[in-house]
Amino acid sequence: MKILSIQSAVAYGHVGNSAAVFPLQRIGVEVLPVYTVNFSNHTGYGAWRGPLIAPDDVREVVAGIEDRGVLGEIDVVLSGYQGGEGIADVILETVAKVKAANPTAIYACDPVMGNAKSGCFVAPAIPVLLRERVVPAADLITPNQFELGYLTGTEPDTLESTLASVDLARAGGPSTVLVTSVERPDREDGTIEMLAVDEHGAWIVQTPRLPMKANGSGDVTAALFTAHYRRTGDAAEALARTTSSVFDLLTRTHESGERELQLVESQEFYAHPRMQFDVRQVR
């Protein structure tokens, strides 16, 4: 499997492609990383150095890949955080080129906008761009529950309302939806859930909620789920594998006391997930 991943990059720590590439490689996926920024560290520190990469420069990198004649070998185009408005055009152009070369390829979009605690943390134009142009072009999306609400103009909180919001999202384009950070009022205390839905059904998985914030964990989640789902076509299995790997990554990070994901130290959890959580079909 080959994944063309258009995301940010940081030298220190693990977010964007700096979070997604290694776990994908560890499960046997060939990754073609294309960078949208090249920062010293993620912006959660409040200070960073390095450039945003101009959309035309990102476009040139993709054109160079096209020159090698390999777009037909790409199975997935994956995108995450979009730092500027112009990147969306480059992503959509790339998706069109890849699908023309390989009609079986899919586009997986992590529509990064914000979360329930922080609200939106991207430029004001980005959420509108994602909702109106990017997400409708995607085959698979991986929003958190807050982002799902924005994309669909709803306020999902219960399982039923979250499923209804997913149905609205799927009616707009993507056939498969992974919802992260699902927080139902009737869930067990100290837990958090993920929900995966495709044309075959809907599945939910619950894990303990760890008392930490982990920048980049959503990027790892989106990457692993996309790869497992593309490889197996089984949303339940992809959900189980991804949940197991990410929970163990977060547990090791929390136990380390470090702020940054212990991405390399957790590599066995990607290759050999323990499958310790039950995935329950809810529809």
Side-chain angles (χ1 to χ4, degrees):
M1 185 190 306
K2 285 188 172 71
I3 294 181
L4 175 61
S5 181
I6 306 175
Q7 299 195 56
S8 59
V10 295
Y12 173 72
H14 302 288
V15 300
N17 268 334
S18 302
V21 171
F22 178 66
L24 288 172
Q25 291 171 330
R26 193 63 181 83
I27 63 172
V29 175
E30 184 72 37
V31 187
L32 288 70
V34 175
Y35 302 141
T36 57
V37 309
N38 188 14
F39 287 167
S40 56
N41 51 269
H42 66 70
T43 59
Y45 286 96
W48 63 94
R49 295 175 184 264
L52 284 167
I53 299 175
D56 281 344
D57 290 334
V58 179
R59 187 177 282 111
E60 276 295 292
V61 172
V62 174
I65 296 171
E66 184 180 17
D67 289 344
R68 303 283 70 75
V70 298
L71 292 190
E73 301 172 14
I74 293 170
D75 301 289
V76 180
V77 177
L78 172 65
S79 71
Y81 172 76
Q82 297 182 27
E85 298 175 46
I87 295 298
D89 289 329
V90 180
I91 291 169
L92 293 174
E93 291 165 13
T94 303
V95 169
K97 286 182 176 182
V98 168
K99 287 191 171 189
N102 177 12
T104 68
I106 67 167
Y107 171 37
C109 171
D110 185 10
V112 178
M113 291 181 275
N115 55 60
K117 289 186 178 179
S118 305
C120 278
F121 49 64
V122 296
I126 298 297
V128 177
L129 194 60
L130 286 168
R131 182 179 64 196
E132 296 183 357
R133 293 189 56 211
V134 180
V135 165
D139 302 287
L140 187 163
I141 60 173
T142 60
N144 60 38
Q145 193 175 33
F146 170 83
E147 292 162 341
L148 175 67
Y150 180 85
L151 291 172
T152 57
T154 61
E155 295 183 5
D157 52 3
T158 65
L159 177 58
E160 292 73 20
S161 63
T162 303
L163 285 168
S165 297
V166 168
D167 289 341
L168 285 173
R170 294 183 67 237
S175 59
T176 304
V177 179
L178 173 71
V179 188
T180 63
S181 300
V182 175
E183 300 186 58
R184 298 184 288 138
D186 58 343
R187 75 189 188 282
E188 191 176 334
D189 285 345
T191 64
I192 195 163
E193 295 169 316
M194 284 202 293
L195 174 72
V197 183
D198 68 2
E199 64 268 27
H200 301 297
W203 294 265
I204 199 164
V205 63
Q206 185 178 90
T207 71
R209 180 170 190 158
L210 297 170
M212 62 181 293
K213 178 182 179 182
N215 295 91
S217 59
D219 303 321
V220 177
T221 300
L224 288 176
F225 182 84
T226 295
H228 289 313
Y229 185 74
R230 176 62 173 165
R231 182 171 279 160
T232 67
D234 187 325
E237 181 178 346
L239 182 61
R241 288 182 173 276
T242 301
T243 301
S244 178
S245 296
V246 174
F247 180 79
D248 283 337
L249 164 64
L250 292 176
T251 298
R252 175 159 287 186
T253 301
H254 179 56
E255 291 174 348
S256 75
E258 297 290 334
R259 177 170 179 172
E260 296 292 341
L261 290 176
Q262 300 299 286
L263 196 80
V264 175
E265 296 83 349
S266 303
Q267 60 181 288
E268 282 303 309
F269 298 136
Y270 321 136
H272 304 107
R274 293 189 294 153
M275 307 294 277
Q276 68 268 47
F277 299 108
D278 294 327
V279 172
R280 178 168 62 93
Q281 187 163 9
V282 292
R283 191 169 70 187

